Structure formats: structure tokens, C-alpha cells
Amino acid sequence: MTQPPQPPDQPGFGPPPEPEPPRLEKPSQPEQPQQAPAAPQAQPPGFGPPPEPAQPSAQQPPSAPGGPDLSKTPEPGYGYPQAPQPPQQSPQAAPQTPPPAAPVPGGPQTPPGYGYPQQPPAGYGYPGQPQPGQPGAYGQPQQPYGQPQQPYGQQPYGQPYGYPHPTVPMQPHPGQPGGGRKGNATLAIIVAAVVAIALIIGAGVWYSSAGGDDEKKNTANSGDGGGTKGAEGDGSGGATTGGDEKAPADPSAKVLFQVPAPKVPKDTTTIVTSGSWMTDKVYAKSGVAEVVGYDAAKGSELWTLDLPGPVCEASDHVTEDGRTAIIYKPKMPTKTDPQSCTQVAAFDLATGEKLWSETARTGTQEISFNNVTVSGNTVAAGSTSGGAAWDIASGKALWAPKTSDACYDSGYGGGPKMVAVRKCGSYEQRQLHIQTIDPKDGKVLSEYKMAEGIEYAAVVSTDPLVVAADVGDSAGDGSGISDFFSIDNKSGELRTRISAPGEEFAARCDGITRIEHCSGLAVGKDRLYIATEEHEGTGDGYSRTNEVVAFDLSTGKQTGQRADAGDGYTIVPLRMDGDNVIAYKRPPYDKGGQVVSIDGGSFKETKLMENPAEKSVRDVEARMLPQHAEILYAQGRLYMSDVYASELSSGDKEYLAIAFGTG
């Protein structure tokens, strides 16, 4: 779905460069034929110099514009719809002028933009340098259990932030005129009449619809997309429920505050800083062996939760009364003593008070946990060596999964419901059991058994229940996703399976250890909303763009809805807001990012925020790549933060987090 990164010590590590003038060499034009030639076939985005233009052929149909064709409802559960075939012309019909051919991408491969997370301490090597067109290190065979896994943030990602991709535009071939003067004159009269009628009707429609709608355009649910393309309805036949996010009178944002990057301890290369949360008054962010609460608007420190060691993992879920959970190490790691993630704690976001800290054991050995989640008032943590659950208020042990030589709980998904990913069988004959469980006592309420051989699965959503897996390692791009499975929570039966080819969709999940960590998608209204891969834009031929499309979780089919990012922008779903989708738009190199609300019915976009375009601000925002950074938005405020602190430096001032706000 995306290309792997280069190591941070490679040339080009730093803020995105200003775009270089595009190469404008044109391929030589073939001699014009006497009849209308076809346009050369458009090439898919890729590496290397542009191919020579194809020789014209009278039988060759015109090619479709570059990028995926999303205009047709696809077959159940598979990717983009195919482009419709052009109608056959009768012998008497005048030959049509072929459309301009799509630009062919080319130019040198650019290095990744600065800001992707750094490599961990000794024992974890950099992935090998990827070759153009080949999967990166993350796409290599997975490491067996018991071996050190790459930490969150090390997955490869796509093109660098906002960098233009030069292409060589191919010139369209002029069409051969058809018919005589009489035919042209008749056609001109008919066209003039049609245009005149259209102008009269159009004026009447404008007059009848003008005015009266201004009051509806101040909410995200109004669907005021400012010219953004959207689908006609959602096929559900029902009304949508608007969310809480309202469009401001002026979406222009300013920087509220920035949190400087913390210094890492001596003899330490990288420290995990996973975890960020927001309430109406507090923005909380993990630092080096601490969690700090900041005033949500001003950035002044309100409280600090000191820890003896760094945070390993953090739950994204927060209880109604503002409590959440983390995993951390009991001491600061060193080269000789890296420490294990054995401590589980709950704390209050309003005050920073640690409610409790506990461990769990398998025999006499303390469990080193890989993931933690919250559902209801239960905190659950899991790993390959065991799991446990506690009451979030008191820390009282509630239950532990049954372990045996054949099965163990590798992790849990939280939120509205609690879901366990239970692994059974040997490594070569693994079977995953997706279990909806009662968070209070761990009782299994329903279970779906996946096909044997699927080694990892990630919990995308617990209600409705959706899991993602790379079946047969077929994704081939390190995304961890080849298919989505929509499962009935009550019966445990499979509702539908959705194929999501890696070359078409940009979502990714880490189902190896961080069971809940997925990006580039959202689930709601019984729909799966997913970002497509980047492709060439439709503007000047030098921009990149993508879309968000929707799948019906009951049928597995695309709904026909799509929201376009716009030339130069890349759109990524963040979360649901009622029936609407909140999405972040990563901008081109000379603009600020945007937050939009996508209407769940019309799929039109409403701009909620646009960040400043000043270079100093763009440089900070550019480092917070959506594939890895933690991005939170609510009530006119956007928080972007890194998940690692590192001793490696570009020489520029670096930040752990940045906050934007409107109004």
C-alpha cells in the first residue's frame, strides 16, 4: 500500500525540499495518420523514466485518465471498479477526438520526508534499502514469536510529505475532422439550440434555489464541500445522523502551542513516547518516563505523572469519567539491561493521578505485555506469554485468559465491546479465534474461527466487529492487510469478507503485537471507510492525490461513495463523528494541512480547519506523518504528536507535539 522508508542516516533526511522545475522534454511526435489515432495507453504510477509514446492504431480505444477508476460499483468485496468501455461507433458516425493521454510518472525517486520514527536501540537493525517497485523490509517474512519485533512506527510508508512528482506530459493527438460542411452546419445549429435551452433552464434553477441555505452551512453535517466531489447518496435509503463537530465561520487555524522534543537519556538512542489523549480542558502526552497534562488551549503544564521507566504502549480508549491505561517499564533501559514492559497502570486525565499500578505472572515469571486496552471499566493487557484484566478504578484483578500449550490470548480490542484475538495451534498450523468477551469476567460470548494459516489479525473495530489480516502474506507491501472480515458480535458468524489489495488501498494495521493499531481507515454506520493509495492528480500532471471510499459491512460491496482529497492533498480518515467521517488532509509542500468532515450520506466535505502555510509551521507539521503520528481532532482543535524521542537530530528545532486551533 505504501513504499518503505529509507533509514534516517540516508541523504535527504530532513524537511521536504522546495520542488525542482519539472523536466519538460517531450517525446518525439509520431507522424500524424490520416484517420483519428488513439491516445497512448496511460501508465500506472511507478519509478523510472517515462516510456516512449505508443504507436497510434486505428483499432486501439482511447485510454482512461491516470489513477484508479472509482466511478463504477465493483463486484462484491474487491477493490476499485473497472473503467466502463467506450461505446462502439457506427460506420456513419464521425470519428471522435480521443481524450488527452494521462501523464506518465517519472523522475528520480525522492527520499522520505523527515519525521518518521527512528530505529530503536542496539539489536534492531535498519531495514535494507528498498529497490524501486519492490516491497520494503516490513514486507519480508514475519519474525517468529519469541524474536524481537520492530516497534510501532517502524513500518514503511509512502511518498515524502508534499513533494511533487515530476512527469513528462504526453501530447494528445488531434482528431481527424469528420463529415462535410453541411453536417457541421447542422450540428452547429443543434448545439446552439441546446445551449440556449440549457441557459434558460439553468437560470430558472439557480433563481429557485438561491438563498435560504446559508443557515445550513455552519455545521459539518451540511455537506458544504466547497466544490469537493461526492457520491449521490449512500444507497442506504435512510437519513444520516450528524456529529458534534461544527464548521467554524472561519476555518483558518493558528498554532496554539508546541511541545519541544525531550532529550533522551545518556547512552540511549530512542525512547518510545506512545500515548496522547484529549478532553475539553486537557491535552495529555507521553514523554520520556512521564505523562504530562497541558492546558488544551494554552499549552501550559497542568500536571505531570512521573514514571520510573518509559511508556511502552497506551490505550486509545478513555472511560466516560476520563480514565485510561498505559504499559511502562519499571526502570530506565540501558544497553546491558533493556528492561521489559511489565507494569500496567491506570490514571486520571483530569488530574494526572495514578490510580494503581499492577503486574501479572505466568508461573514465577512476570509477563511482559505487548498491548493494553480499555472497555467499560476494565483494563486488559495481552502478550504472547499471557494476559490479565483489572478494574480501572481500583486495580482489582478481574480475570486472566486460560492458557495451554495449544492456545493463548495475543491481545485485546476495546471500546464499545471487548474482543480477544486468541491464537491456537502450532506456528505452521495457526488458527485465530476472534472472541467477543464480557469485560467484567472474561466469559466468551461469541467466537469466529479464521481459516488456518492466518498468523496475525488486528482488531479494527469492536462494534461493529471488523478485523484485518494479511491472508497468505498476499498484501506484499508491509501493510498487514489483504482482507477485512466483518463478523457478527452476537452469533460469531462471518457476515462478509472484503478484499483490499495492497496496491489499491493505503490502510495499514500492526496485528503482530499492537492488536488495535490501524491507520488510514474508520468504521461506523455499518461502513468501512478506507483511504486509497496515492496516484497522479488530474491537474497539471505533477501532483499526487487519493480518495476515501466506503464498503458496506453487510454485503462487502463498495457503496459508490468517494471523497476526493484534491490535487496535491492526501486524505486519511481519523475517526467517526456520528455518521460522518473526520479526516485529515496531508497538504502539498506549499500549504497547510486540513481537517474535513465527510457527510455520511452525500459524502460531501466540509472544511473544519486549515493550518497555516508558513514554512516554519509546515516543517513541523510535515514531520507528523499520518501513518505513524498520533493525530487527534475535536471541537476546533487539532493535536499532532510523535511516538518516539531520539538523539538523532536534523539540526533544526524538533517538537514532540504541535496544537492548532480555530477561532
Side-chain angles (χ1 to χ4, degrees), residues 121-124 265-271 308-310 312 329-342 365-366 368:
Y124 294 78
K266 185 180 179 181
D267 298 329
T268 302
T269 303
T270 305
I271 291 290
C312 301
K329 295 183 177 183
K331 296 180 182 179
M332 290 302 297
T334 64
K335 290 182 178 180
T336 58
D337 187 8
Q339 293 293 310
S340 297
C341 301
T342 57
Q365 185 73 28
E366 284 190 341
S368 181

Side-chain angles (χ1 to χ4, degrees), residues 529-532 546-550 561-563 571-573 598 603:
Y529 301 96
I530 182 171
T532 68
N546 76 326
E547 301 79 28
V548 169
V549 297
Q561 298 166 300
R562 83 169 186 185
I571 190 168
V572 180
I598 303 173
F603 239 54

Side-chain angles (χ1 to χ4, degrees), residues 167-190:
T167 59
V168 179
M170 298 181 66
Q171 302 297 326
H173 298 286
Q176 179 74 17
R181 292 183 179 179
K182 182 176 180 180
N184 288 342
T186 303
L187 179 61
I189 294 173
I190 295 174

Side-chain angles (χ1 to χ4, degrees), residues 159-492:
Q159 300 296 332
Y161 169 83
Y163 197 84
H165 298 257
T167 59
V168 179
M170 298 181 66
Q171 302 297 326
H173 298 286
Q176 179 74 17
R181 292 183 179 179
K182 182 176 180 180
N184 288 342
T186 303
L187 179 61
I189 294 173
I190 295 174
V191 170
V194 170
V195 170
I197 295 173
L199 289 173
I200 295 172
I201 295 175
V205 171
W206 178 87
Y207 179 81
S208 64
S209 61
D213 292 334
D214 291 344
E215 295 180 359
K216 299 179 181 179
K217 294 182 179 180
N218 62 349
T219 66
N221 195 40
S222 67
D224 180 16
T228 304
K229 298 178 182 178
E232 295 294 333
D234 64 354
S236 66
T240 60
T241 302
D244 297 328
E245 304 299 340
K246 309 301 180 184
D250 182 4
S252 299
K254 63 181 180 180
V255 176
L256 298 179
F257 61 88
Q258 299 175 98
V259 179
K263 294 183 179 180
V264 299
K266 185 180 179 181
D267 298 329
T268 302
T269 303
T270 305
I271 291 290
V272 175
T273 58
S274 292
S276 59
W277 307 266
M278 64 181 300
T279 69
D280 56 345
K281 297 181 180 180
V282 176
Y283 169 69
K285 173 61 187 171
S286 295
V288 175
E290 65 180 7
V291 179
V292 181
Y294 303 91
D295 183 284
K298 301 176 183 178
S300 54
E301 292 189 15
L302 300 178
W303 50 258
T304 300
L305 171 58
D306 291 317
L307 301 169
V311 173
C312 301
E313 294 295 340
S315 174
D316 295 331
H317 305 292
V318 179
T319 62
E320 293 182 358
D321 55 356
R323 297 171 177 178
T324 190
I326 56 174
I327 303 170
Y328 64 94
K329 295 183 177 183
K331 296 180 182 179
M332 290 302 297
T334 64
K335 290 182 178 180
T336 58
D337 187 8
Q339 293 293 310
S340 297
C341 301
T342 57
Q343 312 295 307
V344 180
F347 67 97
D348 191 314
L349 286 171
T351 63
E353 177 190 1
K354 183 194 289 186
L355 304 176
W356 50 264
S357 180
E358 297 290 345
T359 62
R361 294 178 178 272
T362 297
T364 59
Q365 185 73 28
E366 284 190 341
I367 297 173
S368 181
F369 294 104
N370 295 327
N371 54 77
V372 64
T373 194
V374 175
S375 180
N377 290 317
T378 299
V379 175
S383 72
T384 60
S385 56
W390 301 267
D391 179 80
I392 196 168
S394 65
K396 176 184 176 181
L398 298 178
W399 50 266
K402 295 180 179 179
T403 58
S404 66
D405 293 338
C407 297
Y408 64 91
D409 288 6
S410 63
Y412 304 96
K417 296 183 183 296
M418 183 164 284
V419 172
V421 177
R422 189 166 178 83
K423 293 193 174 187
C424 296
S426 64
Y427 182 78
E428 297 296 331
Q429 294 180 319
R430 186 80 72 198
Q431 185 174 46
L432 302 183
H433 298 191
I434 310 301
Q435 300 175 332
T436 299
I437 61 179
D438 187 328
K440 296 180 181 179
D441 57 16
K443 179 181 178 181
V444 177
L445 304 177
S446 66
E447 181 178 71
Y448 169 70
K449 296 181 180 180
M450 304 185 76
E452 287 189 6
I454 301 176
E455 183 65 25
Y456 306 107
V459 179
V460 177
S461 168
T462 60
D463 189 20
L465 177 53
V466 180
V467 298
D470 186 359
V471 180
D473 296 327
S474 58
D477 62 349
S479 65
I481 305 171
S482 67
D483 297 82
F484 293 95
F485 296 79
S486 174
I487 303 168
D488 187 286
N489 281 101
K490 295 182 179 180
S491 66

